[in-house]
Amino acid sequence: MLEKLEFLLALAREKHFGRAAEVCGVTQPTLSAGVKQIEDAFGVLLVNRGSRFRGFTAEGERVLEWARRIVGDARAMREEVLALKHGLAGRLRLAVVPTALPMVETLTTPLRARHPNVQFTVLTRTSAEVRHLLDNLEVDAGLTYLNNESPGRVTAVPLYRESYRLLVAADGPLGHREQVTWSDVAQVPLCLLTPDMQNRRIIDQYLRETGVEPTITLESDSMLVLYSHVRTGRWASVMPSRVAAMLGLTDVLRAIPIIGADTSHTIGLVAPAREPMIPLTAALVAEARRVAVLLAD
Amino acid sequence: MLEKLEFLLALAREKHFGRAAEVCGVTQPTLSAGVKQIEDAFGVLLVNRGSRFRGFTAEGERVLEWARRIVGDARAMREEVLALKHGLAGRLRLAVVPTALPMVETLTTPLRARHPNVQFTVLTRTSAEVRHLLDNLEVDAGLTYLNNESPGRVTAVPLYRESYRLLVAADGPLGHREQVTWSDVAQVPLCLLTPDMQNRRIIDQYLRETGVEPTITLESDSMLVLYSHVRTGRWASVMPSRVAAMLGLTDVLRAIPIIGADTSHTIGLVAPAREPMIPLTAALVAEARRVAVLLAD
DNA sequence: CCATGTTAATCGGAAATATCTATCGATCAA
DNA sequence: TTGATCGATAGATATTTCCGATTAACATGG
């Protein structure tokens, strides 16, 4: 029955019987039969079918939510027993918002020092994608914005608050200033993340509030692309100060504090709420709490 | 795999492969094989075996805790889907401490008014047994003392605080008093619940604090037996005031307030913490919250 | 309106799994 | 030592699962 619930989860992810089956390592008839079995067991249709997958019924959505929990718990059980047997080991999957990438190291380094057999997979995603991956148990934890939380379903550990800096060549426009306002920033052509990124949307909002329509000369989903452009001294960008600090500043580059409305955009670690947690995730959360204290100064 | 986990739960309850198998409706070899399968799947021994069942290993205890949760969630899922299909219906199993028996009606009556298809099973148990039945998912909720809680694992709704009265014949010893102290009570021969009941232990403690060794002439696990004896006017007892109120007083019988140390012994509804709850249990908890407000006056 | 491709359900048989009965081996108590 | 109890094991049987092939139901494009 547990495997059948996994079929359901795969179907929810893939929205396609054939692909879901492939993900589960079975053939499409097997997955179809599995779904039908759950439906028969409950005596309720869970999936709206036509000639193709047409989403879940109301009952299906409820079952899906339970399935997520049950399957997640089953995995957590497995992880915990293995941890008891072999000590902390395994792969920790992290989904991280681009602006939080510099933080990853502050978690992984001490965690690996404590538990040398832990391995990591770090994916860069938008905050929406991070949330989605967490919901579907495709990652163990996320580093993302803690606003618009759905509390109760996740454990969140605040790590730090983003503050923004204008990254610009010292001899370029605004390059000589000790500090700038968002109005100033809106005047110069910028390289920013793509609009599906929350960081971009936050910056957009600050800029929009100045009333000036900013010019975004270059967009990318990679901080590295932005940085490499700014590095030439011929482009400007807005970055969280921690990112700027990590990338390091050449003598031609300055990271100028931006003053003004400081709406709090907290970044933190988010993990599925589960009691008890998967040991690996628990270790990560514990590490995050330690790091949070260090960052609080 | 889910069924195998149920095997494990049954084994934990019965501490005996044969009986556990019978409970599960399978033969003993089947249950043995099921347990072994889980062990093989994890590569860890879960059960200490000699020629007989010798308890669980450390890993086994952990798996057991997860199994409780997972199996409970699976049942909750089933209940919820059926509730979506047929409306609220089914049987609500309650385990109730004897002194809380009069409260049962205040929950069941309005609940049944709202949901006519709900049926009830009410069991009288000691508070320890109530806790155990809850842990093993053999009941949906309990009415019991809220002290020494293990929070997080259960949802508790406080309903009222017990206060005690001396139930005695008006023409018997102390029968004329407007109020009595525990020292007074310790002087008269009493009918009380058996010592495995928390109510008895509470009363014992009050009596012991007076320094006088009380005489317990009759013990029973049934409030009704106590009442029927006191009713003759020739026996005395100590009962929570709500019980006395429900049983009704004849003209020869008085329920005299006992003054003195009023350690708070709160009685409330306890249900397994699960998010979301089984719909039937959720309805009961909701009802309990309403009733709690009414009782708070 | 038909051809074509996509998608999920259905069917039949092979393979895997589960369960039962019967029995065995170990342990414990008398 | 004997008898009783308990759990593991073996072998036979039944059930379930799963795959491959096929079919049915729709889309889409011509």
Side-chain angles (χ1 to χ4, degrees):
Chain A
M1 209 69 209
L2 266 175
E3 293 165 301
K4 316 294 171 57
L5 291 180
E6 303 229 29
F7 289 177
L8 224 53
L9 292 191
L11 187 56
R13 282 200 300 274
E14 304 293 334
K15 305 185 197 313
H16 187 286
F17 278 72
R19 282 197 296 277
E22 194 179 2
V23 167
C24 294
V26 297
T27 58
Q28 170 264 316
T30 300
L31 188 128
S32 283
V35 172
K36 181 181 261 288
Q37 274 188 3
I38 306 180
E39 291 182 325
D40 289 349
F42 290 149
V44 182
L45 270 186
L46 300 177
V47 178
N48 289 318
R49 302 154 159 97
S51 63
R52 53 189 64 227
F53 175 81
R54 292 202 198 288
F56 290 86
T57 64
E59 291 88 349
E61 293 289 351
R62 298 302 306 136
V63 170
L64 205 54
E65 191 164 323
W66 280 109
R68 276 192 244 278
R69 171 190 300 256
I70 292 170
V71 168
D73 280 349
R75 290 186 194 168
M77 170 172 69
R78 176 183 185 75
E79 292 294 323
E80 183 171 326
V81 172
L82 293 184
L84 272 178
K85 195 180 161 199
H86 296 126
L88 264 198
R91 182 165 296 273
L92 204 44
R93 297 160 302 168
L94 288 175
V96 182
V97 135
T99 54
L101 287 172
M103 289 305 298
V104 175
E105 174 277 324
T106 65
L107 290 172
T108 52
T109 304
L111 188 58
R112 182 155 170 92
R114 268 180 234 277
H115 309 290
N117 295 320
V118 177
Q119 299 175 304
F120 300 92
T121 298
V122 180
L123 307 174
T124 315
R125 292 296 136 92
T126 69
S127 59
E129 286 168 343
V130 170
R131 199 58 46 87
H132 186 261
L133 290 171
L134 276 171
D135 283 345
N136 287 289
L137 304 173
E138 294 174 63
V139 295
D140 301 302
L143 271 179
T144 184
Y145 294 89
L146 294 189
N147 321 317
N148 47 53
E149 266 307 324
S150 52
R153 311 180 43 87
V154 295
T155 303
V157 181
L159 285 175
Y160 66 96
R161 300 203 302 183
E162 278 194 341
S163 68
Y164 301 96
R165 303 214 168 195
L166 177 67
L167 209 64
V168 69
D171 58 355
L174 301 177
H176 60 287
R177 302 275 285 274
E178 282 313 306
Q179 56 185 33
V180 295
T181 65
W182 284 105
S183 306
D184 297 330
V185 173
Q187 308 297 331
V188 300
L190 295 169
C191 326
L192 293 179
L193 288 176
T194 47
D196 55 341
M197 301 293 181
Q198 183 154 356
N199 170 264
R200 166 65 181 279
R201 293 198 300 274
I202 291 167
I203 293 173
D204 274 354
Q205 192 189 336
Y206 281 134
L207 293 174
R208 212 175 305 119
E209 283 168 1
T210 69
V212 183
E213 193 60 34
T215 317
I216 314 300
T217 49
L218 184 145
E219 289 178 346
S220 169
D221 61 351
S222 160
M223 300 293 290
L224 206 58
V225 169
L226 303 186
Y227 176 67
S228 63
H229 281 78
V230 176
R231 221 173 114 79
T232 64
R234 310 177 68 85
W235 308 68
S237 181
V238 175
M239 290 190 184
S241 50
R242 286 185 189 275
V243 179
M246 179 204 61
L247 291 172
L249 302 175
T250 64
D251 46 359
V252 299
L253 227 58
R254 297 193 57 213
I256 305 170
I258 304 173
I259 60 173
D262 199 22
T263 315
S264 153
H265 295 287
T266 306
I267 293 250
L269 183 75
V270 178
R274 196 181 306 287
E275 191 57 40
M277 257 182 257
I278 295 173
L280 226 49
T281 309
L284 181 67
V285 168
E287 202 61 61
R289 288 195 215 280
R290 274 190 284 268
V291 170
V293 171
L294 298 180
L295 292 177
D297 57 8
Chain B
M1 210 69 209
L2 266 176
E3 292 165 300
K4 316 293 171 56
L5 292 180
E6 302 228 30
F7 289 177
L8 223 55
L9 292 190
L11 187 56
R13 281 200 301 274
E14 304 292 335
K15 305 184 196 313
H16 186 286
F17 279 71
R19 281 196 297 277
E22 195 178 2
V23 167
C24 294
V26 297
T27 58
Q28 170 263 316
T30 300
L31 189 129
S32 283
V35 172
K36 181 180 261 290
Q37 274 188 3
I38 306 179
E39 291 181 326
D40 290 348
F42 290 148
V44 182
L45 270 186
L46 300 177
V47 178
N48 289 318
R49 303 152 157 98
S51 62
R52 53 189 65 227
F53 176 81
R54 291 199 199 289
F56 291 86
T57 64
E59 292 88 348
E61 293 289 350
R62 298 302 307 134
V63 170
L64 204 55
E65 191 165 323
W66 281 108
R68 276 192 244 279
R69 170 190 301 255
I70 292 170
V71 169
D73 281 349
R75 290 187 194 168
M77 169 172 69
R78 175 181 187 74
E79 293 293 323
E80 183 171 324
V81 172
L82 293 184
L84 273 178
K85 194 181 163 200
H86 296 126
L88 263 199
R91 181 164 296 273
L92 204 46
R93 297 160 303 167
L94 288 176
V96 182
V97 136
T99 54
L101 287 173
M103 289 305 299
V104 175
E105 174 278 324
T106 65
L107 290 172
T108 52
T109 304
L111 188 58
R112 183 155 170 90
R114 270 180 233 277
H115 309 291
N117 294 320
V118 177
Q119 298 176 305
F120 300 93
T121 297
V122 180
L123 307 174
T124 315
R125 292 297 137 92
T126 68
S127 59
E129 286 168 343
V130 170
R131 200 56 46 87
H132 186 261
L133 290 172
L134 277 171
D135 283 345
N136 287 289
L137 305 173
E138 294 174 62
V139 295
D140 301 301
L143 271 179
T144 185
Y145 295 89
L146 293 190
N147 321 319
N148 46 56
E149 267 307 326
S150 52
R153 312 179 43 87
V154 294
T155 303
V157 182
L159 286 175
Y160 65 96
R161 300 203 300 181
E162 278 194 342
S163 69
Y164 300 97
R165 304 215 166 194
L166 176 67
L167 209 64
V168 69
D171 58 356
L174 300 177
H176 59 288
R177 301 277 285 276
E178 282 314 305
Q179 56 183 34
V180 295
T181 65
W182 284 105
S183 305
D184 297 329
V185 173
Q187 307 297 331
V188 299
L190 295 169
C191 326
L192 292 178
L193 287 175
T194 48
D196 55 342
M197 301 292 181
Q198 184 154 354
N199 170 265
R200 167 65 181 279
R201 293 199 299 274
I202 291 168
I203 293 172
D204 274 355
Q205 193 190 335
Y206 281 135
L207 293 173
R208 212 175 306 118
E209 284 168 0
T210 68
V212 184
E213 193 59 35
T215 317
I216 313 301
T217 49
L218 186 145
E219 288 178 349
S220 170
D221 60 351
S222 159
M223 299 294 291
L224 207 56
V225 169
L226 303 185
Y227 176 66
S228 64
H229 281 78
V230 175
R231 221 172 113 80
T232 65
R234 309 176 68 87
W235 308 67
S237 182
V238 175
M239 290 189 182
S241 50
R242 285 183 190 277
V243 179
M246 177 204 62
L247 291 172
L249 303 175
T250 64
D251 46 359
V252 299
L253 227 57
R254 299 193 57 214
I256 304 170
I258 303 172
I259 60 172
D262 199 24
T263 315
S264 153
H265 295 288
T266 306
I267 294 250
L269 183 75
V270 178
R274 195 180 305 289
E275 190 58 38
M277 258 183 256
I278 295 174
L280 227 48
T281 308
L284 180 68
V285 168
E287 201 61 60
R289 289 196 214 280
R290 274 190 284 268
V291 170
V293 171
L294 298 180
L295 292 176
D297 57 7

